[in-house]
Amino acid sequence: MSLQISQIRIRLTNAETDKEPLAWVSCIVNNALCLNNIAIRKSRTADKPRLVFPAKKSGGGKTYYYFNPINDDARLDLEEAILTQLEEIIQPARGRE
C-alpha cells in the first residue's frame, strides 16, 4: 500500500550553513493526517536532500520523534512526493542563474 501525499506546502529558508534547514514542509497523508514541520536538510552523504522529522531530546539525550515513517515504503513515499515538489520549486530558480 502506498501513501497518498497531498497539499504539500514547502517554505524555503535562507539557510546560510549546512546546519540550517533548506525548507520546512507540511503535507496531508491519505486525506486524514496533517504532518507539519518536516525539515528538508542537505545530506552529508548523498546528492539529494533528506527529510528530518520533528523530535524532542530528553535530558538524557534520547531522541523522541513526534511522528516518523515506520517503514522504508512510507519513508520513500514521503521523500518522493516532497522532494519532487521541492525540485519543481527550485528548478526554475536554477535556470535564472
Side-chain angles (χ1 to χ4, degrees):
M1 179 183 131
S2 65
L3 299 177
Q4 179 188 357
I5 314 299
S6 61
Q7 297 182 33
I8 299 169
R9 290 185 324 204
I10 297 177
R11 296 170 304 283
L12 298 174
T13 67
N14 294 321
E16 295 180 8
T17 69
D18 289 346
K19 293 183 178 185
E20 298 174 285
L22 301 171
W24 293 100
V25 180
S26 64
C27 62
I28 305 293
V29 178
N30 292 346
N31 291 319
L33 181 65
C34 179
L35 304 181
N36 288 307
N37 299 319
I38 300 169
I40 300 176
R41 293 187 179 272
K42 185 176 179 179
S43 175
R44 294 181 189 140
T45 58
D47 291 336
K48 70 177 185 174
R50 64 187 178 100
L51 302 183
V52 179
F53 295 91
K56 180 178 182 174
K57 286 204 176 200
S58 70
K62 182 167 175 148
T63 301
Y64 295 93
Y65 289 95
Y66 294 113
F67 59 86
N68 61 295
I70 60 170
N71 58 47
D72 283 342
D73 290 339
R75 180 184 54 79
L76 291 171
D77 287 347
L78 284 164
E79 282 181 355
E80 180 181 351
I82 291 170
L83 296 181
T84 297
Q85 182 85 20
L86 176 67
E87 190 62 29
E88 290 174 7
I89 292 170
I90 61 174
Q91 194 64 26
R94 285 185 184 151
R96 291 191 298 257
E97 292 177 352

